[in-house]
Amino acid sequence: MIMRVLRALVPLLCLLPLGRAQAEPEEEDGVLVLRAASFEQALAAHRYLLVEFYAPWCGHCKALAPEYAKAAAKLKEEGSEIRLAKVDATEESELAQQFGVRGYPTIKFFKNGDKAAPKEYTAGREADDIVSWLKKRTGPAATTLTDAAAAETLVDSGEVVVIGFFKDLASDAAKEFLLAAESIDDIPFGISSSADVFSKYELSKDGVVLFKKFDEGRNNFEGDLTKENLLNFIKSNQLPLVIEFTEQTAPKIFGGEIKTHILLFLPKSVSDYQEKLDNFKTAAGSFKGKILFIFIDSDHSDNQRILEFFGLKKEECPAVRLITLEEEMTKYKPESDDLTADKIKEFCNKFLEGKIKPHLMSQDLPEDWDSQPVKVLVGKNFEDVAFDENKNVFVEFYAPWCGHCKQLAPIWDKLGETYKDHENIVIAKMDSTANEVEAVKIHSFPTLKFFPAGSGRNVIDYNGERTLEGFKKFLESGGQDGAAADDDLEDLETDEETDLEEGDDDDDQKIQKDEL
């Protein structure tokens, strides 16, 4: 009898701990740790919830963790009702799938428990950025400052703060200011009509001031006060004259309006480090709002992929390169290795005047480049081989670290063996991390392109099965069976980039979305 009662109670006893865990999600450093069982409870319990979907192996996630915890602590200290949470997307795959997680970290903002359309977090990865973005999403676009103490508190709260000074808060200028404030997520805005605030910051008439904890410390807006002019003013002044590339600053660098970047690759260990950095900073003042000046510690292991992207080796640094991040990324190299302020300014001015040609990387041509069934292409021989009017050339553009490329390699070698004696079919490959060509822009790895014989310089993208049979059908059909339709190309590139981002557990296989 007693045993029967105990057996009946066991399931109930097992449920008790689960019930408590669901009601009270565990915390790490002030951040809620959510699972499928506790996700709904967290949404119901917290009006505002920011959730990071992460992977334990993800380098970006590891770099974000201390800043994310710092933001949680800051909000808690202020008595905010906003909570931060995280979900291990590799463990809670159904949750990740439900909210469209395709890369790490993915951060979503939930308001009033609404799961239908959470807002994607797109601002910077420092604590101040996170807090500012959340306050914009949960409060007014600009905080009303009633006295000097309130203004001082706001100015002290972030790296960059913008305050509008308007004697009439209902004026047209004040309305334009608020429109600008609504457009920027990662900077706190304040607005005031208080004579006390005007006096503290030495304004006698309406105006806008950007306060910052670097460079000159303060910028006063001048000109017609419109939303567009204000946004341009903030864009030109919100970043330091020279910004160091790090995990935290990457979103500000790549997400900003300035798409022309000049990069100084400089090891912090060199004796004249500060002198060279000062020269770079001196040059930067002449190009505010036009060119973003970025410093990269070339000694840091996290930055080696960027050096590789520019075809640089550590021993070649210090060095300067310029890149435009428009639809197609284009790189430029100064003619001189002189890193004085005058030479850097001369290089930037020539670029803006359109007097500098793009710099295309190329390895030296190996002596045995055509000795194997798969021919080796570099920048220097690409044109001659790929656009040979008498040959049909099928090229794999690869990266040495790419996992997909490594999987494809034995199949590509077999394809080379199959056609090694063919009179007009050539199988080739090119390392696109070390070689660039004007005719072809590579956005993901591997990329497969077919260059049919003839004088038309035609290029056909391959989007068929990556099997020996698939490749053979494509070649025997003259590049028809397996060719990518125009509307397939964007989807192909997106899928590849997603694969590279999620990768496997080898850190070398994971490419950073926001990395050059």
Side-chain angles (χ1 to χ4, degrees):
M1 175 68 178
I2 293 173
M3 292 302 297
R4 282 201 300 271
V5 171
L6 286 174
R7 280 196 293 267
L9 286 174
V10 165
L12 296 175
L13 291 170
C14 290
L15 287 173
L16 290 176
L18 278 174
R20 285 195 295 270
Q22 288 174 342
E24 298 177 12
E26 62 184 277
E27 288 190 24
E28 285 180 9
D29 299 324
V31 177
L32 298 174
V33 180
L34 302 183
R35 296 179 172 81
S38 57
F39 198 84
E40 294 286 345
Q41 284 86 347
L43 286 180
H46 303 290
R47 184 180 177 193
Y48 304 120
L49 191 65
L50 187 71
V51 182
E52 175 204 3
F53 294 87
Y54 72 96
W57 46 255
C58 166
H60 290 293
C61 304
K62 291 174 185 176
L64 174 64
E67 294 296 320
Y68 200 68
K70 200 183 299 180
K74 189 172 184 179
L75 290 167
K76 188 175 183 179
E77 185 181 328
E78 294 175 0
S80 173
E81 59 180 327
I82 305 168
R83 290 303 306 266
L84 271 60
K86 62 182 180 179
V87 172
D88 182 345
T90 66
E91 291 287 334
E92 305 295 339
S93 56
E94 288 186 12
L95 272 181
Q97 187 174 2
Q98 180 181 350
F99 295 110
V101 175
R102 298 185 63 197
Y104 307 112
T106 292
I107 306 174
K108 306 266 186 180
F109 179 58
F110 297 83
K111 190 173 180 179
N112 297 321
D114 182 11
K115 295 187 296 181
K119 182 77 176 177
E120 191 91 15
Y121 176 83
T122 54
R125 291 179 185 167
E126 294 183 72
D128 285 346
D129 300 323
I130 297 168
V131 171
S132 179
W133 189 90
L134 287 168
K135 286 183 175 179
K136 280 288 183 74
R137 290 278 172 250
T138 58
T143 303
T144 301
L145 308 171
T146 57
D147 54 36
E152 190 172 2
T153 299
L154 182 65
V155 170
D156 290 341
S157 70
E159 274 294 290
V160 178
V161 172
V162 180
I163 296 181
F165 300 80
F166 302 100
K167 292 177 180 177
D168 178 7
L169 296 183
S171 66
D172 289 341
K175 289 175 182 174
E176 290 291 312
F177 174 79
L178 290 173
L179 288 173
E182 288 172 0
S183 302
I184 298 179
D185 290 330
D186 55 352
I187 296 176
F189 282 69
I191 188 168
S192 182
S193 61
S194 165
D196 188 24
V197 178
F198 271 71
S199 174
K200 178 174 179 60
Y201 295 104
E202 301 176 348
L203 271 80
S204 58
K205 60 181 182 180
D206 287 4
V208 176
V209 179
L210 183 146
F211 299 92
K212 56 192 180 184
K213 291 186 171 74
F214 48 84
D215 296 341
E216 62 269 54
R218 168 176 175 162
N219 302 107
N220 289 9
F221 174 80
E222 296 176 1
D224 293 331
L225 211 156
T226 64
K227 174 189 172 182
E228 183 178 353
N229 288 343
L230 277 173
L231 292 177
N232 286 333
F233 162 73
I234 294 166
K235 174 190 76 173
S236 298
N237 293 289
Q238 72 178 105
L239 293 176
L241 281 173
V242 174
I243 184 168
E244 182 175 0
F245 179 86
T246 66
E247 287 272 3
Q248 285 70 40
T249 60
K252 294 179 184 178
I253 291 170
F254 295 108
E257 295 294 319
I258 303 172
K259 298 302 182 187
T260 300
H261 298 173
I262 185 168
L263 302 101
L264 171 63
F265 295 88
L266 177 65
K268 289 185 177 180
S269 57
V270 295
S271 57
D272 58 347
Y273 159 77
Q274 194 58 52
E275 179 187 344
K276 283 187 165 56
L277 192 59
D278 288 344
N279 286 339
F280 196 58
K281 191 171 183 178
T282 299
S286 303
F287 303 96
K288 194 186 270 190
K290 298 176 185 175
I291 300 176
L292 190 60
F293 279 61
I294 302 164
F295 151 62
I296 295 178
D297 180 3
S298 55
D299 274 344
H300 201 295
S301 58
D302 288 350
N303 296 330
Q304 297 315 299
R305 184 69 58 79
I306 306 177
L307 268 74
E308 180 184 292
F309 179 80
F310 283 92
L312 282 168
K313 297 175 182 176
K314 286 173 69 172
E315 52 269 26
E316 295 177 291
C317 299
V320 163
R321 295 291 185 270
L322 188 146
I323 185 168
T324 56
L325 303 176
E326 302 297 342
E327 286 187 13
E328 299 292 350
M329 290 189 291
T330 307
K331 304 168 193 170
Y332 300 84
K333 176 185 177 181
E335 295 174 357
S336 168
D337 292 332
D338 191 340
L339 298 181
T340 60
D342 286 342
K343 281 295 183 182
I344 293 169
K345 283 196 276 188
E346 180 186 328
F347 173 56
C348 291
N349 280 321
K350 282 186 177 179
F351 165 77
L352 293 174
E353 292 165 5
K355 295 180 179 177
I356 296 181
K357 292 182 179 180
H359 170 63
L360 299 173
M361 299 187 301
S362 177
Q363 294 173 306
D364 291 331
L365 181 63
E367 290 184 7
D368 61 346
W369 70 272
D370 62 346
S371 64
Q372 299 297 317
V374 176
K375 311 307 175 189
V376 177
L377 302 186
V378 297
K380 294 175 180 177
N381 72 335
F382 180 85
E383 283 278 328
D384 292 338
V385 177
F387 292 108
D388 184 334
E389 294 183 10
N390 300 310
K391 302 290 184 182
N392 296 290
V393 185
F394 198 14
V395 183
E396 176 203 5
F397 298 88
Y398 72 96
W401 43 260
C402 165
H404 294 281
C405 304
K406 292 175 182 177
Q407 291 170 6
L408 179 62
I411 301 172
W412 203 251
D413 287 341
K414 287 179 183 176
L415 187 67
E417 281 287 341
T418 302
Y419 291 98
K420 66 180 181 181
D421 297 321
H422 199 283
E423 60 181 347
N424 62 22
I425 290 179
V426 175
I427 308 302
K429 64 182 179 180
M430 188 172 87
D431 177 355
S432 286
T433 67
N435 300 279
E436 297 168 314
V437 292
E438 190 68 38
V440 177
K441 301 297 181 184
I442 304 302
H443 300 284
S444 59
F445 304 111
T447 290
L448 307 176
K449 291 181 182 286
F450 180 61
F451 301 82
S455 59
R457 292 179 64 87
N458 294 324
V459 183
I460 298 172
D461 288 272
Y462 180 77
N463 195 21
E465 292 181 0
R466 290 180 183 171
T467 62
L468 184 60
E469 287 305 312
F471 293 144
K472 287 166 64 177
K473 283 181 184 177
F474 175 70
L475 290 170
E476 299 301 334
S477 67
Q480 299 298 312
D481 190 346
D486 289 343
D487 57 358
D488 286 340
L489 296 181
E490 185 176 346
D491 291 339
L492 174 65
E493 289 172 359
T494 301
D495 288 345
E496 284 301 324
E497 287 170 4
T498 299
D499 286 342
L500 286 167
E501 166 68 12
E502 294 178 355
D504 57 28
D505 286 346
D506 183 351
D507 284 342
D508 210 29
Q509 302 288 334
K510 304 175 193 103
I511 193 167
Q512 301 178 3
K513 281 190 218 173
D514 50 12
E515 193 175 272
L516 286 170

